[in-house]
Amino acid sequence: MRKTIFLATAVLFLSHEAAAQSWSSISFTAPPQSTAALVAAAGRMLASPVGKEFPGQLLLQVNVADGDNPATHSWVPIYESAGQREAWVAKLQASAAWTEFLGTIQQLSSPGGTTQYRTTMSGGDPDPADTVWASHAFTVTDPAGFQAAVKKFLASPSGEKAPGQVYISSVVAGGLTPVNTVISVGYASEAEMESWIAVRNASPDWATYVAESRGAATFLGTSLSRTVKVWGTAPAAN
């Protein structure tokens, strides 16, 4: 298993926060056979003059398991900050490339919802091979207590054996829902995820985390998605 490290300092979740990365989940519904056309449309947009100035990373994800959510896909753009996102999006929306992209997307899909997030902590080994993403949703009532419980588990003997990469994000804007915090965990495969969960759930360190986090947050459920295409490079933590 890959050794878990803190992205910016090589110390896992001790006393520092990651960069306040700004990212969004933009959901939509499209038939499975449209994925190649969606990839091509995004590629053309990002190959345009303004697209080449894109400062972040864009993921196209397919929803694998998300309950009664009708969306089938999500665009996930990641930026260094909300200001960086705002500036580039304004420039993009004034371009012919955006108009062309929208025209194609409207023929291929139906829009869903959009949620904006701010990443507050991150850990693990970032690896392009991690294409399976589990998103754990919470209503957090005691942010400091919840963060302390997560830190304690990830610094434990069991937590240090965790594969993949982890991001804790707070909801900046997403409508009226009970979700205010999401823990996103990336894995190389569903098999890796299943194997780790079996080990994790059997550990006393995990039992301690569950007991302590219940006093600070309510767990609302997990959704699963798979990345099918990535453009650009994710901004590094400061």
Side-chain angles (χ1 to χ4, degrees), residues 108-122:
L108 297 171
S109 65
S110 300
T114 298
T115 303
Q116 292 182 3
Y117 299 89
R118 174 182 179 272
T119 298
T120 56
M121 296 180 67
S122 60

Side-chain angles (χ1 to χ4, degrees), residues 85-214:
R85 174 189 59 78
E86 185 177 37
W88 187 76
V89 169
K91 185 180 294 186
L92 174 67
Q93 290 178 343
S95 72
W98 177 246
T99 302
E100 178 187 347
F101 176 74
L102 284 183
T104 302
I105 294 302
Q106 287 171 354
Q107 296 177 21
L108 297 171
S109 65
S110 300
T114 298
T115 303
Q116 292 182 3
Y117 299 89
R118 174 182 179 272
T119 298
T120 56
M121 296 180 67
S122 60
D125 294 320
D127 189 334
D130 290 339
T131 57
V132 174
W133 289 90
S135 297
H136 308 289
F138 297 85
T139 298
V140 174
T141 54
D142 177 6
F146 182 68
Q147 181 170 295
V150 174
K151 285 181 181 179
K152 183 176 178 179
F153 171 70
L154 291 171
S156 70
S158 298
E160 288 182 346
K161 298 176 183 177
Q165 48 191 305
V166 182
Y167 301 87
I168 300 179
S169 303
S170 59
V171 174
V172 174
L176 301 178
T177 79
V179 180
N180 63 14
T181 302
V182 172
I183 298 180
S184 305
V185 187
Y187 300 93
S189 67
E190 291 182 48
E192 181 182 66
M193 179 181 70
E194 183 179 56
S195 176
W196 160 241
I197 289 175
V199 172
R200 182 200 70 184
N201 288 355
S203 74
D205 297 321
W206 180 251
T208 298
Y209 159 75
V210 170
E212 293 181 351
S213 67
R214 280 176 177 167

Side-chain angles (χ1 to χ4, degrees), residues 30-55:
Q33 63 270 24
S34 69
T35 299
L38 292 166
V39 169
R44 288 193 299 272
M45 179 186 69
L46 292 173
S48 70
V50 67
K52 291 178 181 179
E53 297 179 24
F54 177 52

